[in-house]
Amino acid sequence: EDKVVQSPLSLVVHEGDTVTLNCSYEVTNFRSLLWYKQEKKAPTFLFMLTSSGIEKKSGRLSSILDKKELSSILNITATQTGDSAIYLCAGWFGNTGNQFYFGTGTSLTVIP
Amino acid sequence: NAGVTQTPKFQVLKTGQSMTLQCAQDMNHEYMSWYRQDPGMGLRLIHYSVGAGITDQGEVPNGYNVSRSTTEDFPLRLLSAAPSQTSVYFCATTRDRGYTIYFGEGSWLTVV
């Protein structure tokens, strides 16, 4: 069973649209959730969220975790072509080791 | 500040050959890991290490070996390459459990 599930798998929008990406996670031993943006190369860090429910913001991007729903959303407002990328969500589970599990990612394409 | 350095960036191997992907970090992080990324599969954990001399298996360890003789280096060995190991490989480090993951730039491996 997948510990982290992202939806949708892909999304195509027009510049200026607002998009919402979803990530659900398994509750067992959950500790934190991270969002990454991946263009042609390695993923780059966006946000880290915990069950505290505090919203994180950076420019046009924002994210929050809902511990009741066991999910997180990543919002991007006024999208630009530079937002086109794969957005990855990763959950950290457990007290030992380096047990990050990634979702399959959401591929976002922003059309001019 | 180099961060996480992976070599080589690109490699073509014949089935049955062996090779080592190198990973070095200068951030003095204890936690290091190797992921592979395949289309539609997200990032999957191969092996990880929580410190020098300590390694453990991730989700997809078969066909790979690792060692961690120093804090800085975490090489990934393919023992007998198979076409199923054609993938993009990322080395990553993190300061501690649940903290931000830093990725290397990736190694594109093709096994023919």
Side-chain angles (χ1 to χ4, degrees), chain A residues 5 14 17 26 28 33-34 38 41 43 45 48-49 57 70-71 76 82-83 86 95-96 100 109-110 112:
Chain A
V5 178
H14 288 93
D17 288 349
E26 183 181 295
T28 305
L33 188 140
L34 287 77
Q38 185 178 26
K41 295 184 178 179
F45 175 74
M48 185 170 87
L49 302 158
K57 289 184 178 182
L70 302 180
S71 66
I76 307 175
D83 295 326
I86 296 174
N95 289 318
T96 61
F100 279 105
T109 302
V110 181

Side-chain angles (χ1 to χ4, degrees), chain A:
Chain A
E1 184 178 347
D2 292 336
K3 288 183 176 291
V4 176
V5 178
Q6 291 185 248
S7 64
L9 290 181
S10 64
L11 197 53
V12 180
V13 300
H14 288 93
E15 265 192 324
D17 288 349
T18 293
V19 298
T20 299
L21 311 182
N22 296 283
C23 177
S24 62
Y25 59 89
E26 183 181 295
V27 68
T28 305
N29 292 324
F30 173 78
R31 294 290 180 263
S32 62
L33 188 140
L34 287 77
W35 282 98
Y36 284 83
K37 176 183 181 181
Q38 185 178 26
E39 296 173 269
K40 296 295 184 184
K41 295 184 178 179
T44 54
F45 175 74
L46 294 175
F47 301 113
M48 185 170 87
L49 302 158
T50 66
S51 298
S52 66
I54 295 174
E55 184 181 23
K56 299 290 180 74
K57 289 184 178 182
S58 177
R60 295 176 294 102
L61 278 67
S62 63
S63 184
I64 193 164
L65 187 143
D66 185 334
K67 65 180 180 181
K68 289 184 182 177
E69 296 294 326
L70 302 180
S71 66
S72 173
I73 59 170
L74 174 68
N75 277 328
I76 307 175
T77 60
T79 51
Q80 302 170 358
T81 55
D83 295 326
S84 296
I86 296 174
Y87 290 84
L88 296 165
C89 160
W92 177 61
F93 301 87
N95 289 318
T96 61
N98 185 18
Q99 297 174 30
F100 279 105
Y101 291 89
F102 281 82
T104 55
T106 294
S107 175
L108 173 66
T109 302
V110 181
I111 300 171

Side-chain angles (χ1 to χ4, degrees), chain A residues 32 34 36 38 40-43 45 48 88 90 92 94-104, chain B residues 31-33 35 37 40-43 45 48 50 59 90 94 97-101 103-105 108:
Chain A
S32 62
L34 287 77
Y36 284 83
Q38 185 178 26
K40 296 295 184 184
K41 295 184 178 179
F45 175 74
M48 185 170 87
L88 296 165
W92 177 61
N95 289 318
T96 61
N98 185 18
Q99 297 174 30
F100 279 105
Y101 291 89
F102 281 82
T104 55
Chain B
Y31 293 80
M32 296 187 74
S33 50
Y35 293 87
Q37 187 174 32
M41 301 291 286
L43 283 158
L45 182 64
Y48 65 95
V50 300
E59 301 171 81
F90 289 100
T94 180
R97 295 186 290 267
Y99 280 79
T100 305
I101 310 168
F103 288 92
E105 292 200 343
W108 274 253

